[in-house]
Amino acid sequence: MKLYNLRQIYIEKDKFLSLWYYLLQHKLLTMKSILFTFMVCLLSSCTSVRQTQIPSDQAQNEYAARYLALIDDIETGPVLTKITELRQFVVLTIRNQSHAIAEETLTHGAFEAIEAIDWMTCLDIVDELLAMNYASLNGHYTAMVCQLESDDAAQSQYHESVMNQLLEAVWLTGNGESLETAFQVINRAERDAFIEFHGLEFIKHSVTRLDGQDYEVVTLYDARKDETFEWYFTQYQ
C-alpha cells in the first residue's frame, strides 16, 4: 500500500491544504476523547489474557543494549530493516503498564502544546517521549510537526522518514484482512495511530482468540470511499 506523504509546506499562511493538516486537526479534535482509550498495557501487563515470560537480567541488558544501538543506527540514517527490528525490541525492553501510561500522558501533552502553538514545550515533551519509546508513531509525528514549525526542516524530514517507515513496518506484518494476516502492533496506542494516519475513523472493535492468541476485529469507516470495513490486529508476543 502506498504510504501517505505526511509533511507538506504551507500553501497559505495559517492554512494547510494537505493530508498533513487534516491529520493534525483530526488528532487535536479527537485526542481528549481517546486519551483514556490510549492508556493501555504493553504485552507484559496484559496478564489477564496470557502470561508473559520475564527475561533474565542478562537478557534484559542485552535487549536494552541492542535497542539503544538500533536508535544510534537509525539516527544516522533511517532504514526499514532497522526500524522493523526496533519495533520488536521495544516489546522486549518496555514491559510495564506504568510506562505505557506515562507515554500516553506525554503524547497528550505534546498535542496540547501543538494546540497552544507552543513549539518549545512541544519539543521538550517530544524529546522525553521518544526517549521513552523511540518507535512511537505519535512521538515522531509530533516531532515532525514541531520541528517544522521551529524552522528545522531537516529534523522534520528525518522524523517524517522514520514515521513513514514505522507505518511501512506495520504493513510488513500483514494486510489486516483476516486473523491469519492481522497487523502486528506494539500496543493499542500504535494501533490507533496507525488507523488515524490512514485517515480512517474508528467505529467499534471486538476481541476473538485463535490458537491462544488474542485478535482485535476493528470496524473502520473510510470517508473518502464512503465505505465501512474491518481490519484485524494482534499485539507482538
Side-chain angles (χ1 to χ4, degrees), residues 65-156:
R66 182 56 184 159
Y67 173 74
L68 294 174
L70 285 166
I71 293 174
D72 287 342
D73 289 344
I74 291 166
E75 287 181 337
T76 61
V79 293
L80 184 58
T81 54
K82 298 294 185 183
I83 286 174
T84 299
E85 188 180 357
L86 178 74
R87 293 179 67 249
Q88 296 167 347
F89 273 88
V90 166
V91 175
L92 294 171
T93 57
I94 303 174
R95 309 182 66 87
N96 62 77
Q97 186 174 6
S98 61
H99 187 288
I101 292 173
E103 182 182 335
E104 295 309 330
T105 300
L106 288 170
T107 299
H108 180 58
F111 280 106
E112 283 196 329
I114 291 173
E115 190 172 7
I117 318 179
D118 186 347
W119 309 123
M120 289 302 297
T121 297
C122 179
L123 291 174
D124 288 342
I125 294 173
V126 163
D127 283 346
E128 191 173 351
L129 174 58
L130 291 178
M132 188 171 287
N133 176 9
Y134 204 76
S136 168
L137 275 170
N138 283 317
H140 288 285
Y141 175 79
T142 51
M144 177 188 71
V145 173
C146 297
Q147 293 286 7
L148 180 63
E149 294 289 356
S150 300
D151 296 323
D152 193 337
Q155 277 300 302
S156 180

Side-chain angles (χ1 to χ4, degrees), residues 156-172:
S156 180
Q157 289 171 345
Y158 165 78
H159 289 290
E160 177 199 6
S161 177
V162 174
M163 181 179 168
N164 273 328
Q165 291 182 65
L166 284 169
L167 290 168
E168 187 173 355
V170 177
W171 276 103
L172 288 177

